[in-house]
Amino acid sequence: MIGWPIPPPRIPRKTKEVLALERRQKVDWLVRNGFLKSDRLKEAMLKVPREEFVPYEYRDYTYLEVPLPLPGLNATISCPHSYPLFYEALQLRGGDRFLEVGSGSGYSAALAREVVGDEGLVVTIEIDEDTYRFAKDNLSRLGYYDVVVILGDGSKGYAPLAPYAKIAVTATCPSIPQPLIEQLADGGRLIAPVGPPDDVQKLMLLSKDGGKLKMESVEEVLYVPLRGEYGWIKTTF
Ligand code: SAH
């Protein structure tokens, strides 16, 4: 069994100012290490206070390169470099209609909303009720009222608002779920970890052009399992 080391929960000691400084340092680090390239995503990562999406007892660890536990079964806020890893590969842009499977804390949806802007749309779907509530509360507390947060099985996508220009799955899949491929617009891109939950997985980037599908492997990653009909754990919703 492999996994990430999770730091011990503790009462937060860092001030808002310290966390804001750590945010700027993290963004510089992401740029220097080649993860973060586009100006819009850089602005988004500077703007969105990630600490507001982290549970109280883990808040001091907000800018460490580790995923942190969230309310709900298996939910985590992914480590900071994973967002540019996903969004740069997806080429997330202003005006995009974007679907995220696995809302977690809502942080990834807030970043996406900053990138797609007023002309775009962010739809995020979460299967765990406690995690869903956490994401929804965080997003509305921070003013992201127009992010559509759905409680449901995202392995089936979310057909009512399809097609999507970009889709990100933030839990590892047995293979890329067919409904997501169908809900991807022509010219669109989808990113998803594919592989077993207890081993390293391949982050796969799929593009659809003229109805033709192309797949490439971007990186090795470690994500929690996708649940639901097309997931590893066949919970019915
Ligand atoms: N996007 C967040 C969360 C990653 S954790 C981030 O990157 O920080 C993955 C999340 O996917 C968990 O909250 C888990 O509950 C959720 N999940 C797992 N299977 C799902 C499914 N079928 N539909 C929607 N959410 C799912």
Side-chain angles (χ1 to χ4, degrees):
M1 184 75 180
I2 52 166
W4 291 92
I6 307 292
R10 70 171 201 207
I11 293 168
R13 294 175 211 145
K14 291 180 183 170
T15 61
K16 259 188 155 95
E17 290 70 27
V18 168
L19 289 165
L21 173 65
E22 288 189 0
R23 190 183 326 137
R24 291 195 294 275
Q25 289 170 336
K26 177 93 282 177
V27 168
D28 285 346
W29 182 89
L30 292 168
V31 171
R32 273 201 317 276
N33 285 277
F35 291 108
L36 187 49
K37 296 178 187 111
S38 64
D39 287 343
R40 236 173 139 123
L41 184 56
K42 186 177 161 190
E43 288 310 311
M45 293 198 78
L46 283 171
K47 181 172 171 190
V48 179
R50 177 172 160 90
E51 56 273 23
E52 296 291 333
F53 293 85
V54 171
Y56 176 79
E57 65 273 28
Y58 293 107
R59 191 155 295 173
D60 276 0
Y61 309 124
T62 296
Y63 294 99
L64 293 185
E65 272 313 316
V66 288
L68 298 166
L70 299 177
L73 180 75
N74 269 333
T76 58
I77 180 164
S78 307
C79 46
H81 86 270
S82 68
Y83 304 91
L85 184 66
F86 274 57
Y87 293 168
E88 297 285 13
L90 267 184
Q91 297 175 8
L92 192 64
R93 296 283 181 267
D96 278 348
R97 181 178 279 248
F98 171 65
L99 173 70
E100 175 187 49
V101 178
S103 313
S105 66
Y107 172 68
S108 39
L111 281 183
R113 172 61 182 83
E114 293 293 340
V115 174
V116 305
D118 290 341
E119 275 74 53
L121 177 72
V122 175
V123 180
T124 181
I125 180 161
E126 173 57 55
I127 200 166
D128 187 292
E129 200 167 342
D130 292 335
T131 316
Y132 160 79
R133 216 163 293 287
F134 185 67
K136 203 168 165 56
D137 288 352
N138 289 338
L139 286 164
S140 47
R141 184 165 38 84
L142 288 153
Y144 294 99
Y145 303 111
D146 61 2
V147 169
V148 182
V149 192
I150 307 286
L151 175 63
D153 177 6
S155 80
K156 296 188 277 192
Y158 188 66
L161 291 170
Y164 303 97
K166 309 283 162 66
I167 298 178
V169 186
T170 62
T172 189
C173 319
S175 61
I176 295 179
Q178 192 56 34
L180 297 181
I181 297 176
E182 280 156 20
Q183 291 170 30
L184 186 66
D186 198 40
R189 290 176 155 232
L190 177 157
I191 195 159
V194 176
D198 52 1
D199 205 348
V200 285
Q201 305 128 17
K202 284 199 162 133
L203 184 60
M204 302 302 293
L205 179 67
L206 178 145
S207 47
K208 197 190 243 186
D209 265 305
K212 277 211 179 117
L213 303 179
K214 221 178 68 189
M215 276 240 263
E216 62 182 288
S217 161
V218 179
E219 183 64 273
E220 290 197 329
V221 290
L222 208 48
Y223 273 78
V224 301
L226 184 73
R227 288 150 67 183
E229 193 170 327
Y230 294 83
W232 286 102
I233 306 160
K234 309 273 178 217
T235 39
T236 45
F237 190 79

